[in-house]
Amino acid sequence: MKRVLVLRAREDAARTSEKLRALGFESVLSPVLEIVATGAAIPSGEFDAVLASSAKGVECAGNISALLRLPFHAVGAKTAKAAETRGWRPDIVAGNAEAILPLLLARYAQPAHFLYLAGRDRQAALEAGLRAAGHRVTAVDVYAARAATALGEDARRALAAGDIDIALHYSRRSVEIFLALAEAVGLTPRLGGVTHLALSDDVATPLRAIALEPRVAQKPNEERLLALLRQV
């Protein structure tokens, strides 16, 4: 049975582990990020719509009752599902920021005010694109991703022994943290013997920078990443 290293926040890693078990893989978990709510308050104001690019943005947003009357637009099906759970009926849903931006610009021809339920560490493409088109974006950092200080012991031992066949990579930041933690304990040379699967080209960039050759999912979602895994 092939062993798969899962480098996600703990709750997400547990869900992925269940999927891997069903597919016949053994998972080794080493959360490199811990997702925590910041407790940031939602500012008062007149908003035309709410945006989120992660389910965590919805789950960590606190009291959103006053926002449920507003249109909700989501990056990713998981984000849309989280919004439905909290009472929204998601309107525009697309797989990534590049895909949702033109849809938003087409819908909002006149300047609009968006409330963005965001993470502290994020790419700026979505809000930058909206602002460049004349829209106003109020971003509230409702969650943060804290970096782990060490690899999980099971993962460290498995990597040292060459017992990891495949590693799943979900975000550029998690890859960067993982590589730094591996280097700190002298495991970088072992990474060449692992098949690395990345959610997107952006996620793959730090791996390519150290001469690893990751395979990239056709679309940036876990379904396509696991489909790629089944091909390995």
Side-chain angles (χ1 to χ4, degrees):
M1 181 180 293
K2 290 187 177 181
R3 306 190 78 194
V4 180
L5 180 61
V6 183
L7 301 159
R8 307 192 73 186
R10 192 170 306 278
E11 292 181 3
D12 292 333
R15 287 191 289 267
T16 297
S17 180
E18 291 295 325
K19 296 176 183 179
L20 291 174
R21 186 177 297 111
L23 293 173
F25 294 92
E26 179 184 352
S27 58
V28 178
L29 309 187
S30 185
V32 295
L33 294 170
E34 178 188 5
I35 305 298
V36 295
T38 64
I42 304 298
S44 59
E46 292 296 324
F47 301 105
D48 297 297
V50 181
L51 307 174
S53 55
S54 167
K56 298 299 182 185
V58 179
E59 295 163 353
C60 296
N63 186 357
I64 52 138
S65 57
L67 304 173
L68 294 177
R69 61 180 176 80
L70 298 173
F72 182 90
H73 308 305
V75 175
K78 185 179 176 183
T79 307
K81 185 176 181 180
E84 288 178 348
T85 300
R86 297 208 62 185
W88 268 298
R89 295 181 63 184
D91 188 349
I92 298 174
V93 180
N96 54 45
E98 290 73 17
I100 201 172
L101 182 58
L103 301 178
L104 291 171
L105 296 182
R107 172 70 60 83
Y108 297 92
Q110 300 300 317
H113 187 187
F114 295 94
L115 174 65
Y116 185 14
L117 304 176
R120 186 169 292 162
D121 297 287
R122 63 183 183 274
Q123 295 184 5
L126 178 55
E127 53 201 293
L130 289 169
R131 288 179 177 134
H135 298 292
R136 182 182 175 191
V137 181
T138 296
V140 182
D141 298 343
V142 296
Y143 72 95
R146 295 176 181 168
T149 58
L151 292 173
E153 187 60 22
D154 288 346
R156 187 194 65 76
R157 289 177 179 174
L159 283 168
D163 287 339
I164 295 294
D165 300 292
I166 301 163
L168 301 181
H169 301 284
Y170 287 80
S171 76
R172 181 167 181 158
R173 184 169 181 236
S174 66
V175 173
E176 291 169 345
I177 294 168
F178 167 64
L179 293 179
L181 295 177
E183 182 179 14
V185 290
L187 289 175
T188 302
R190 292 289 189 180
L191 302 184
V194 176
T195 298
H196 297 272
L197 307 183
L199 198 69
S200 69
D201 281 316
D202 182 64
V203 174
T205 297
L207 296 166
R208 291 171 175 152
I210 62 167
L212 295 175
E213 298 181 0
R215 297 177 65 180
V216 178
Q218 290 184 347
K219 291 186 178 180
N221 58 57
E222 187 174 55
E223 180 181 354
R224 292 304 180 93
L225 187 65
L226 296 183
L228 182 61
L229 171 66
R230 290 193 291 269
Q231 298 172 17
V232 173

